[in-house]
Amino acid sequence: MQQTSLHPMLNVAIKAARAAGALINRASLDLEALRINTKSPNDFVTEVDHAAEGVIIETLLGAYPDHGILAEESGRTHGAKHSEYVWIIDPLDGTTNFIHGLPVYCVSIALAHRGVVQQAVVFDPTRNDLFYATKGRGAFLNDRRLRVSKRTRMSDALIGTGFPFRRGDNFKRYVKMFEEVMQHCAGLRRPGAAALDLCYVAAGYYDAFFETGLQPWDVAAGSLIVTEAGGLVGNFTGEADFLHQREVVAGTPRIYAPLVAMLSPYTRVIKEEDVAAAPTPAAQAAAPAPAAPKKRAPVRIKKDEAGEAPV
């Protein structure tokens, strides 16, 4: 099934993704000349990440100067700050693979309106594969309509994942998740580019995918492509609130449910009430954390003195 007409905003996103992909392909021919910086241990950024992001932003804002931008390398420094439309960009998802010459990486671009993703493009420049979707109009790979797999048994499922790699990630927690899922499915895979992993769920290559520690630009585009292909996406407790929760599960409906049941004990979802109670970064900077216990300590002492001595 071929989609005859694309949404104008999707067309601009495709143009931007292909321009970035061409730049990435050229750079891949001479990796020895690449300048690589380290954002944190095992977290790399190259001049290609910056150049690809630049050409994407230039293309998008050239067409829609009043839109906002949320990009991996430059954050919100470009575009309109308070627009209802925000482009969410990962210029090179799978930078570590790219640096090593492993051809599993992609460009990811999504457009959110009032926080809901409406347009999505994930471009794999090594295979010239273009995954794309418009909300309510289906998901496609090049000109072929995508549908998630029809597998219904967890024991038959091939599941994608991503390993934690940053300092501060909870490796022990992940190993427990890995062990549990691995014992119930047909196999686990870890190629190293979450945006592509989500597209592989949409295409039926995987039956499900899960990962922790992800940012909005890793999952925004891929999540719409999955849902438009008939799949489900959520956090580890199965709720639709995943974009800013740093955890995601995606899959064909019959595999998604048992996978969520396995992963829900490991959730780190931030509840709205926790967010309301937590101090803002600005407040934290103004009032150092150690000050809080000092204020509460006298209250606890008075309670102890009013009752029996603590044991």
Side-chain angles (χ1 to χ4, degrees), residues 21 41 55 78 98 100 128 154 161 215-216 224 278 287 289 293 295 305 307:
V55 75
H78 298 283
F98 174 76
H100 288 81
N128 198 29
M154 178 65 81
T161 189
Q215 298 289 349
L224 178 63
K295 291 180 181 178
E305 289 172 351

Side-chain angles (χ1 to χ4, degrees), residues 137-155:
R137 297 181 64 176
F140 295 81
L141 166 54
N142 301 323
D143 289 328
R144 178 171 63 85
R145 179 71 183 263
L146 293 179
R147 299 299 301 177
V148 294
S149 81
K150 293 182 171 61
R151 286 187 188 86
T152 59
R153 295 191 303 179
M154 178 65 81
S155 59

Side-chain angles (χ1 to χ4, degrees), residues 3 14 29 33 54 58 66-67 71 75 82 89 106 122 138 141 160 169 181 183 186 195 203 232 238 306 311:
Q3 190 172 13
I14 290 171
L29 300 176
E58 183 181 356
D66 296 333
H67 285 190
H82 304 293
I89 302 161
C106 64
V122 174
L141 166 54
D169 287 342
V181 175
Q183 292 181 64
L232 298 174
V311 294

Side-chain angles (χ1 to χ4, degrees), residues 24 27-28 31 34 46 48 92 94-102 105:
I24 291 165
S28 72
L31 291 173
L34 207 60
T46 72
V48 178
L92 178 53
T95 299
T96 302
N97 286 350
F98 174 76
I99 290 167
H100 288 81
L102 182 65
Y105 44 81

